[in-house]
Amino acid sequence: MPVKIRLARHGRKRYAYYHIVVADSRAPRDGRYIERIGSYNPNTNPATINLDVDKALTWLSNGAQPTDTARAILSYKGVLMKKHLLEGVKKGAFDEAEADRRFEKWSEEKESKVQAKKDRLAGEKAKTSQERLAEEAKVNAERAAKIAKKNSEMAAEAATASAEEAADEAADESAAEEPQAE
């Protein structure tokens, strides 16, 4: 029975996540599988990968063949690196303690790269939100200036209108008083 390590699709339309499974190569993509060894969610940035490294390593050493995407995920998580180091131990190139030390060093470097990307993305997000707030404050200030200008123009018009009205009333009163004097 040819065994593959591959992805099984789950989730809703246009928002898929995947289970990393070990399955018979003749089984349907989302059908029967032998064992679930992890999950992969490409919707987050960076993608979220939960993987049981020991199970994946066991299946690889037993002859399971990963698909291209599964191979990339296994490589990203270090399963293929660990398998490579264990084969070096079997051949006598170095001992198991050295292999563990090399894998730990690689893991730490990989984790620091991932954390740096997360920090960079968070910084960019904060920067863009600050820029948007500054632009919005500028637009609000321009709107407030236009409203103040319009209000002052309306107040000036109202003042001139009331002054004209007062002058008209004074002229009407003086005109009304003159005929009475005769």
Side-chain angles (χ1 to χ4, degrees), residues 36-154:
R36 180 176 172 225
I37 59 173
S39 64
Y40 167 61
N41 185 359
N43 301 313
T44 60
N45 192 2
T48 305
I49 301 171
N50 298 322
L51 182 69
D52 189 343
V53 175
D54 296 329
K55 285 183 182 180
L57 190 60
T58 302
W59 279 105
L60 281 175
S61 62
N62 288 339
Q65 295 296 314
T67 60
D68 293 338
T69 307
R71 180 181 304 279
I73 291 171
L74 294 176
S75 175
Y76 181 82
K77 292 303 276 187
V79 175
L80 297 179
M81 174 73 165
K82 194 165 191 174
K83 181 183 180 220
H84 174 74
L85 291 172
L86 290 178
E87 287 178 8
V89 170
K90 286 180 188 175
K91 292 179 181 178
F94 43 84
D95 61 346
E96 195 167 333
E98 176 67 18
D100 289 340
R101 187 189 64 75
R102 288 183 183 183
F103 183 72
E104 287 299 320
K105 180 181 175 189
W106 180 87
S107 301
E108 290 171 3
E109 290 174 0
K110 184 71 169 181
E111 186 62 34
S112 67
K113 287 180 183 178
V114 170
Q115 190 61 39
K117 181 178 181 179
K118 286 180 181 177
D119 294 341
R120 180 180 54 83
L121 290 172
E124 288 175 0
K125 186 176 181 180
K127 183 180 176 183
T128 57
S129 66
Q130 287 176 350
E131 289 173 355
R132 279 194 228 134
L133 284 173
E135 289 175 14
E136 189 173 328
K138 181 180 174 184
V139 169
N140 286 343
E142 290 174 0
R143 285 182 185 160
K146 285 181 183 179
I147 290 172
K149 182 179 176 183
K150 187 175 181 180
N151 287 343
S152 64
E153 289 174 358
M154 290 176 69

Side-chain angles (χ1 to χ4, degrees), residues 9-18 41-43:
R9 188 181 194 280
H10 292 279
R12 62 185 165 93
K13 186 193 295 188
R14 302 182 194 278
Y15 200 79
Y17 65 92
Y18 301 90
N41 185 359
N43 301 313

